[in-house]
Amino acid sequence: MFNWTTTTIINSLEDATTGDKLVKVWKNAENGSGFSGSYPVIKIKRDHTFEARYITNVYKAAAKEPVKCKATLDFVKIVKKLKALVEAGSISPQIYGRLAFYIALEGSEESIYANDMYQKGKPFSIGFGPVTITKDSVVEDAAKAIVKNLVKNATNAIYGKRLFKLTANGETSVVLEGTSEFQRFNFINVAVDDSSEEVLVSDYNFFFENEDSGVSGIKLDERGQNGFGTYLYMIRNLQLPTIHNTRWLHLKEDEKPVVGAKYTQYIVNYCAPSMANPGLTVVGQHNMSATTHVFWVNENVADQFEAFLVDAGINPEAVALAEGNKVKDNTKAGTEFPVNHEQTVEHTKSKKAAGSASDRV
């Protein structure tokens, strides 16, 4: 049929207006929970009351900081290759060249990167020269001249805003870095023009994984990684920053993502008898309702929140977010652990809560 999922942000374990506890545990349901029986019951915020015996799984994923893509280009190595080409007569001593690279996106569809291909991305090219290199040239001097020229020319490569940073790393190398966690370098190369031909000198290509072979001079330091459970992640994936969600004293103010905060994700899988239509008693069939409940808990209170779960006999299973967009275990993705398209999950063996519904049905 359909999947029923709720999503809740928890910034505090106390109600801001009344001071009431937002998470309560009854180890014996009969002692004030409103349920009958001797099993534990846990109530989370105002809307979620779970009988522990019907919780089948609880997964936990910690927040992850974003990492921007970054590469280092060593022009001493690159100039050595240029010098060898000059001595072999393959290119002329007076060199005009360029640093070219392509920035693609993962987890973003920003329109400034729109092109005629399926995946958004944008090419960049920064020229340098003329630089004269002969067999008698000092490699370090030529490298310094190219680095100085590139850093100066990089200031012109702006599309409304700066989409990358190119800075000198000492006098003979440069650092190329993205400005957003969603950017990825698909290729980086250094080429020179000789007559009507372009001669590729050094090359990094993500698809062929040919990064720094020891002589290319191009090394990928960071591929890039999207954040998880960060403020940007929350407003992009859970709560749109509309006037209704950001105005002063908007509805559910305590569920507003906090700038600078990080959130741990807890996913509760619940399978309980259907109260509206408990069964077709003529043939003895019992109907069970399976629902999923996602809680984003501010790291400041995550340990306390988890302590309540453990107190109710529920032990969350930690899962690790994997890099890239490939789902490691297709049997888990989108069922027991709803996966956002920007993140993938690597699961270990599922731990069932004692007396879970799947053990009885």
Side-chain angles (χ1 to χ4, degrees), residues 122-227:
K122 188 174 286 294
F124 296 86
S125 181
I126 306 170
F128 63 85
V131 176
T132 301
I133 298 178
T134 66
K135 64 179 182 178
D136 299 320
S137 297
V138 177
V139 170
E140 286 74 14
D141 291 343
K144 290 176 184 178
I146 293 175
V147 167
K148 186 176 181 180
N149 207 197
L150 279 174
V151 173
K152 178 182 177 181
N153 293 342
T155 59
N156 298 322
I158 297 177
Y159 288 83
K161 63 178 181 179
R162 190 167 295 284
L163 301 180
F164 67 90
K165 293 191 295 185
L166 182 72
T167 56
N169 181 29
E171 294 186 305
T172 59
S173 65
V174 298
V175 172
L176 182 63
E177 189 175 7
T179 57
S180 163
E181 64 188 84
F182 308 111
Q183 294 173 318
R184 305 288 185 268
F185 291 128
N186 273 6
F187 73 77
I188 306 170
N189 64 51
V190 176
V192 297
D193 293 324
D194 188 68
S195 300
S196 60
E197 293 185 31
E198 181 184 69
V199 179
L200 192 65
V201 181
S202 292
D203 179 46
Y204 158 77
N205 192 306
F206 169 72
F207 300 103
F208 299 108
E209 298 182 347
N210 64 335
E211 65 174 280
D212 197 9
S213 60
V215 293
S216 73
I218 302 175
K219 183 177 184 301
L220 186 71
D221 300 309
E222 297 287 353
R223 170 64 180 160
Q225 173 181 280
N226 296 353

Side-chain angles (χ1 to χ4, degrees), residues 19-89:
D20 291 344
K21 302 293 184 182
L22 293 180
V23 181
K24 298 179 181 179
V25 174
W26 293 272
K27 291 189 176 181
N28 190 320
E30 295 179 343
N31 297 335
S33 71
F35 292 85
S36 59
S38 58
Y39 48 84
V41 170
I42 182 169
K43 182 176 183 180
I44 302 175
K45 297 203 77 169
R46 307 166 187 86
D47 310 315
H48 309 284
T49 302
F50 302 110
E51 299 177 58
R53 57 180 178 168
Y54 295 135
I55 293 177
T56 58
N57 305 91
V58 177
Y59 295 114
K60 166 190 173 182
K64 187 161 61 172
E65 288 285 0
V67 177
K68 296 176 183 176
C69 57
K70 179 182 177 183
T72 302
L73 288 80
D74 184 347
F75 276 91
V76 169
K77 292 182 178 180
I78 294 171
V79 169
K80 285 180 179 178
K81 296 184 71 175
L82 287 171
K83 190 174 181 179
L85 290 171
V86 170
E87 291 175 353

Side-chain angles (χ1 to χ4, degrees), residues 227-240:
F228 180 80
T230 61
Y231 175 75
L232 180 60
Y233 181 94
M234 302 297 279
I235 63 172
R236 292 182 76 249
N237 293 277
L238 302 177
Q239 194 175 86
L240 295 176

Side-chain angles (χ1 to χ4, degrees), residues 265-294:
Q265 185 190 55
Y266 291 87
I267 296 182
V268 177
N269 289 328
Y270 197 66
C271 187
S274 174
M275 303 304 293
N277 184 16
L280 303 175
T281 55
V282 174
V283 294
Q285 178 180 345
H286 293 276
N287 292 336
M288 305 294 288
S289 295
T291 57
T292 303
H293 307 272
V294 183

